[in-house]
Amino acid sequence: QQQVKQSPQSLIVQKGGISIINCAYENTAFDYFPWYQQFPGKGPALLIAIRPDVSEKKEGRFTISFNKSAKQFSLHIMDSQPGDSATYFCAANRSYNTDKLIFGTGTRLQVFP
Amino acid sequence: DVKVTQSSRYLVKRTGEKVFLECVQDMDHENMFWYRQDPGLGLRLIYFSYDVKMKEKGDIPEGYSVSREKKERFSLILESASTNQTSMYLCASSSSGTGQHEQYFGPGTRLTVT
């Protein structure tokens, strides 16, 4: 119940295309769902996050879609750029009683010109 | 600019050695974390500290211990390094304030145990 399952493991997209990464969880007590972006040689950094009271959150070209009934959430990168090439991690936690995050296994995104 | 620093970017140690990985944050954060990152396994929590001298086991604490004597510093200790501890180690910190869950990561230490 503590796992967050992420897919795909790797993704290759052409410049200008849409990148979609999916995550699923089991624990209905989770109430905070962030996405982290990690460039080679760097630590992960928070990209965007959502709480389950909304179904979508958009920041620039990055959108989180959240489906509470299906216990799934996804990251959409519109107009993907070579600079978006990185590893993306979804995560979840029960923010009311812990500061620990449970991370997915990561998706390596490569955007080709 | 917020900062989490780790003492080494690359480290090579021999099997059986005692290894210390140091992490320092300058954000006055209450929480500090140690993760290891392996391909296909994502980020796995080793230990977590929510206050000075306080620690909590994560998902994979076996073979590791931690020390937090000062708020800004969190050390990961490999008592007797083994080859299966070859990995990327990431330190992170976060505030325990309401709604403040963003974790700030250091650049990582790539440890090789031979």
Side-chain angles (χ1 to χ4, degrees), chain A residues 2 9 31-32 34 36 38 40-47 51 87 89 93-106, chain B residues 9 31 33 35 37-43 45 48 56-58 88 90 94-97 99-108:
Chain A
Q2 286 294 96
Q9 189 170 356
D31 63 355
Y32 174 68
Y36 281 76
Q38 182 183 30
K42 305 283 187 183
L46 179 65
L47 180 63
R51 294 194 183 274
T87 300
F89 294 95
N93 89 333
R94 296 174 299 169
S95 61
Y96 67 91
N97 71 345
T98 181
D99 293 301
K100 292 188 289 185
L101 291 173
I102 297 168
F103 284 91
T105 51
Chain B
R9 295 300 302 270
N31 304 316
F33 309 83
Y35 296 90
Q37 180 177 7
D38 301 288
L41 297 177
L43 302 172
L45 183 64
F48 162 50
E56 189 174 309
K57 291 181 180 179
M88 172 69 81
L90 289 162
S94 73
S95 170
S96 62
Q100 302 294 322
H101 300 290
E102 180 175 358
Q103 291 189 15
Y104 296 85
F105 284 83

Side-chain angles (χ1 to χ4, degrees), chain A residues 27-96:
Chain A
N27 191 338
T28 55
F30 289 156
D31 63 355
Y32 174 68
F33 303 90
W35 285 89
Y36 281 76
Q37 179 188 54
Q38 182 183 30
F39 292 108
K42 305 283 187 183
L46 179 65
L47 180 63
I48 186 172
I50 197 168
R51 294 194 183 274
D53 51 343
V54 296
S55 61
E56 186 175 283
K57 184 174 181 180
K58 185 175 181 179
E59 289 184 3
R61 296 183 293 107
F62 299 90
T63 299
I64 300 179
S65 296
F66 184 81
N67 186 330
K68 190 172 182 178
S69 60
K71 293 184 283 186
Q72 295 175 348
F73 58 110
S74 59
L75 177 69
H76 296 238
I77 306 174
M78 312 300 287
D79 187 26
S80 299
Q81 299 296 313
D84 297 330
S85 297
T87 300
Y88 293 81
F89 294 95
C90 63
N93 89 333
R94 296 174 299 169
S95 61
Y96 67 91

Side-chain angles (χ1 to χ4, degrees), chain B residues 6-17:
Chain B
Q6 295 184 230
S7 50
S8 306
R9 295 300 302 270
Y10 300 93
L11 210 52
V12 179
K13 296 292 182 180
R14 294 193 180 276
T15 301
E17 278 193 84

Side-chain angles (χ1 to χ4, degrees), chain B residues 12 20 49 63 81 93:
Chain B
V12 179
F20 293 87
S49 170
S93 71

